[in-house]
């Protein structure tokens, strides 16, 4: 990863969080580095010197970075860093041949398993085109699959997930194919979780896909957590005996019968209080909210986390730290193109599963310099957290979801990404979304993007506190989401420095749609095609600044500026 933005190791992240604990003991939960940066506001000064315009929202944010009412804190989004692990295997030694005839998927998977037995390391794929008639499964910690570069190493995929695993129906009923939003021909997921998931699919017992298993019952309580406030880095627990620095835990927060947790995710106030939640059955299936986070320090009953709390913790929501299914961590895919055999794009919601790269139940993993072509769905984050997609590209005949982020995915970073214009016209019965987020996913960032087609697809399911920044988009896609999945937006969405080349407003300008959110530095746009109305009544308390401009706002990139504050 770019060392200017992600040079911190996990050790320094934990050290920084430990410093937070020290300040917390002294009566503050704000890291000293952030407090110093906030006082000096160096980014704003540099912005002014550069001739740009510094919005009042940025000046406000630097005063209250962890609790600002409209802008979320995302300065710790993404993997701690992309690591360079020593080479321990070459796929050619396990039978891979770049001849266009040999099915190399078994050889690649054997090399990955060998790297795991060696304790981790890098598996290399040399330049050339390697045919794969099966999927590639990266199932082990600290294993990296690395090609010679996306322009030099190609995996040519010939089959889809329906052929390889079987039909995958929706757990909500109907005739939809869940391969329309799940699974990849390169699939990063821990082995036990992947085995249980695919076994359930083969048995047609359609599973939940997240951190607590197919039935959401594979967890046990570690300790209750005392009330706390959004933005706190340190919490008080009843029993710290099973907690230690570096352990990944799940913060589990349940809703009450009045749905005050969902109201809180929407910014609280009269609008969310008046919203009718009871018939939003798909949305209600997404709670409890589950947020994976590493423990940074334990001092008595005081536990410091590596990220600040995304929500208030109230007694009526039964906040607790729990176990979860074993995560995949420290692994990545780099330097290759996944070129799928070209087939017509499937009818909407009946995708066969010509899907790209998916990270599932993964924490602190990454994808770097990877292109996918002719896919149904490009890159996916499914119950994935603290992961980075960097220098990724989706191209070819057109796709349903170029990027999807769902099933409670949090704190991820997608940067330097490209959605290419399709190479063939879209069939009339297909759908194009864009950079998707749904299912209570929070604190994810899309940064420095070139979207030659698609849209900012908030796909219902009450995603909240997500950021899209420094992006150019030809806004010609449409958002999706069933009505029973509830609101398009929760609170604290931010669009910052966005250029819409075709001038279409849909899902770009948030002040009339998203509660307690911000739109800063957006060129002038108008409503046409899909036009939405706000889910919540009354004053949304959403802010709009520097409207009618693009690339005038300073700082240009909200994520990078927050990252600078967090050092």
């Amino acid at each position: 990863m770019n060392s200017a933005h992600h040079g911190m190791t996990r050790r320094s992240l934990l050290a920084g969080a430990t410093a937070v604990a020290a300040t917390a003991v002294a009566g503050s939960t704000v890291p000293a580095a952030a407090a110093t940066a906030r006082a000096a506001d160096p980014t704003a000064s540099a912005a002014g010197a550069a001739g740009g315009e510094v919005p009042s929202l940025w000046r406000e944010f630097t005063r209250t970075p962890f609790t600002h009412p409209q802008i979320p804190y995302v300065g710790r989004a993404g993997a701690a860093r992309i690591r360079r692990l020593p080479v321990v295997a070459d796929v050619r030694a396990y039978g891979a041949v770049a001849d266009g005839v040999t099915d190399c998927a078994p050889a690649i998977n054997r090399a990955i398993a060998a790297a795991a037995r060696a304790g981790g390391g890098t598996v290399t794929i040399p330049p050339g085109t390697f045919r794969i008639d099966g999927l590639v499964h990266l199932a082990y910690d600290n294993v990296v699959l690395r090609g010679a570069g996306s322009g030099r190493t190609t995996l040519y995929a010939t089959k889809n997930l329906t052929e390889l695993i079987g039909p995958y129906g929706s757990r909500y009923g109907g005739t939809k194919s869940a391969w329309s939003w799940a699974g990849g021909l390169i699939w990063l997921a821990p082995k036990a979780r992947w085995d249980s998931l695919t076994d359930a699919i083969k048995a047609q017992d359609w599973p939940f896909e997240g951190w607590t298993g197919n039935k959401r019952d594979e967890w046990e309580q570690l300790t209750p957590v005392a009330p706390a406030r959004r933005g706190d880095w340190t919490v008080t627990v009843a029993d710290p005996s099973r907690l230690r620095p570096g352990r990944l835990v799940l913060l589990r927060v349940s809703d009450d019968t009045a749905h005050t947790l969902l109201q809180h995710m929407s910014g609280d106030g009269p609008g969310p209080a008046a919203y009718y939640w009871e018939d939003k059955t798909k949305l209600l299936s997404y709670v409890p909210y589950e947020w994976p986070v590493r423990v940074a320090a334990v001092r008595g009953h005081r536990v410091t986390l590596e990220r600040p709390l995304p929500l208030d913790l109230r007694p009526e929501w039964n906040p607790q730290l729990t176990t979860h299914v074993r995560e995949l961590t420290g692994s990545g895919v780099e330097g290759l193109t996944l070129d799928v055999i070209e087939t017509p794009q499937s009818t909407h919601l009946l995708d066969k599963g010509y899907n790209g790269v998916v990270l599932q139940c993964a924490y602190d993993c990454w994808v770097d310099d990877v292109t996918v072509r002719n896919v149904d769905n490009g890159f996916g984050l499914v119950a994935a957290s603290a992961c980075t997609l960097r220098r990724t590209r989706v191209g070819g005949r057109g796709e349903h979801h170029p990027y999807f982020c769902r099933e409670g995915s949090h704190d991820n970073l997608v940067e330097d990404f490209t959605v290419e214009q399709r190479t063939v016209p879209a069939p009339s019965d297909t759908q194009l979304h864009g950079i998707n987020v749904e299912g209570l996913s929070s604190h994810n960032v899309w940064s420095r993007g070139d979207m030659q087609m698609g849209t900012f697809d908030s796909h219902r399911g009450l995603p909240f506190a997500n950021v899209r920044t420094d992006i150019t988009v030809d806004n010609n896609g449409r958002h999706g989401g069933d009505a029973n999945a509830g609101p398009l937006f929760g609170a604290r969405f931010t669009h910052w420095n966005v250029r819409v080349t075709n001038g279409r407003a849909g899902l770009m300008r948030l002040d009339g749609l998203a509660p307690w959110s911000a739109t800063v530095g957006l060129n002038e746009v108008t409503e046409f095609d899909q036009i939405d109305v706000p889910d919540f009544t009354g004053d949304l308390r959403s802010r709009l600044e520097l409207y009618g401009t693009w690339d005038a706002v300073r700082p240009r990139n909200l994520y990078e500026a927050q990252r600078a504050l967090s050092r």
Side-chain angles (χ1 to χ4, degrees), residues 61 72-78 443-445 465-467 558-559 562-563:
F61 178 84
Y73 175 72
V74 292
R76 292 280 174 95
H443 297 84
N444 301 289
V445 178
N466 297 287
V467 168
L558 180 62
Y559 165 73
Q562 288 196 23
R563 191 74 176 177

Side-chain angles (χ1 to χ4, degrees), residues 180-193:
S180 300
W181 57 78
L185 293 171
I186 300 177
W187 201 331
L188 288 79
K191 185 178 188 304
R193 183 70 187 101

Side-chain angles (χ1 to χ4, degrees), residues 160-174:
N160 58 60
L161 294 169
T162 301
E163 295 174 277
L164 296 172
I165 297 173
Y168 187 4
S170 170
R171 64 179 183 249
Y172 300 105

Side-chain angles (χ1 to χ4, degrees), residues 271-398:
Y275 185 80
Y276 189 68
W277 301 94
E278 287 297 330
D279 62 349
K280 309 305 185 294
T281 53
K282 183 179 284 190
L283 172 62
L284 297 180
S285 77
Y286 296 153
V287 289
Y289 175 78
E290 296 170 338
W291 183 63
V293 65
R294 288 200 190 279
V295 173
V298 181
R299 296 188 175 184
H301 290 264
R302 299 280 285 167
V303 177
T304 298
L305 308 173
E306 68 174 344
R307 290 177 172 80
L309 288 178
L311 295 165
D312 290 353
L313 303 183
R314 301 177 188 171
E316 58 266 33
W317 300 335
N318 188 28
Q320 53 189 313
L321 298 180
T322 76
T323 63
H324 50 84
V325 298
R326 189 186 185 283
E327 73 278 8
L328 177 72
T329 190
S331 296
V333 177
E334 304 174 0
L336 58 83
T337 289
L338 176 66
D339 191 5
V340 177
I341 185 172
E342 188 167 354
T343 60
Q345 187 175 349
S346 296
T347 300
H348 187 221
L349 298 175
L350 295 178
D351 295 355
K352 296 179 179 65
Y354 290 109
N355 295 346
V357 183
V358 165
L359 295 84
Q360 185 161 6
C361 295
Y363 194 94
D364 196 15
C365 293
W366 66 88
V367 178
D368 184 25
D369 183 28
V370 172
T371 295
V372 298
R373 297 182 56 79
N374 301 320
V375 292
D376 291 338
N377 301 280
F379 294 89
L381 297 158
V382 181
S385 293
C387 294
T388 293
L389 308 183
R390 176 175 176 253
R391 298 190 298 169
T392 55
R393 178 178 292 264
V394 184
R397 50 91 156 145

Side-chain angles (χ1 to χ4, degrees), residues 343-347 376 397-400 422 426-427 429-432:
T343 60
Q345 187 175 349
S346 296
T347 300
D376 291 338
R397 50 91 156 145
E399 57 281 334
H400 183 191
R422 63 175 65 245
D429 54 358
T430 62
Q431 188 64 271
L432 166 65

Side-chain angles (χ1 to χ4, degrees), residues 341-502:
I341 185 172
E342 188 167 354
T343 60
Q345 187 175 349
S346 296
T347 300
H348 187 221
L349 298 175
L350 295 178
D351 295 355
K352 296 179 179 65
Y354 290 109
N355 295 346
V357 183
V358 165
L359 295 84
Q360 185 161 6
C361 295
Y363 194 94
D364 196 15
C365 293
W366 66 88
V367 178
D368 184 25
D369 183 28
V370 172
T371 295
V372 298
R373 297 182 56 79
N374 301 320
V375 292
D376 291 338
N377 301 280
F379 294 89
L381 297 158
V382 181
S385 293
C387 294
T388 293
L389 308 183
R390 176 175 176 253
R391 298 190 298 169
T392 55
R393 178 178 292 264
V394 184
R397 50 91 156 145
E399 57 281 334
H400 183 191
H401 296 94
Y403 292 82
F404 56 94
C405 176
R406 50 177 294 274
E407 202 78 10
S409 289
H410 313 292
D411 304 301
N412 298 295
L413 171 65
V414 182
E415 66 178 354
D416 299 311
F417 66 96
T418 301
V419 180
E420 295 180 0
Q421 183 57 260
R422 63 175 65 245
T423 54
V424 298
S428 60
D429 54 358
T430 62
Q431 188 64 271
L432 166 65
H433 298 310
I435 50 175
N436 155 284
V437 61
E438 59 183 291
L440 300 184
S441 296
S442 66
H443 297 84
N444 301 289
V445 178
W446 292 262
S447 170
R448 295 198 304 266
D450 177 16
M451 296 178 61
Q452 297 164 24
M453 65 177 191
T455 194
F456 290 0
D457 174 31
S458 293
H459 210 90
R460 301 198 179 275
L462 198 66
F464 67 95
N466 297 287
V467 168
R468 294 130 169 177
T469 183
D470 200 6
I471 297 171
T472 298
V473 53
D474 187 31
N475 186 23
N476 61 2
R478 297 169 66 87
H479 78 75
D482 294 336
N484 65 356
L488 279 168
F489 300 96
R492 292 180 301 284
F493 260 79
T494 300
H495 291 173
W496 186 285
N497 195 23
V498 174
R499 178 179 177 234
V500 183
T501 57
N502 63 347

Side-chain angles (χ1 to χ4, degrees), residues 41-60:
D41 199 3
T43 310
S45 302
E53 299 183 62
V54 181
S56 60
L57 273 164
W58 175 249
R59 298 185 190 279
E60 293 171 12

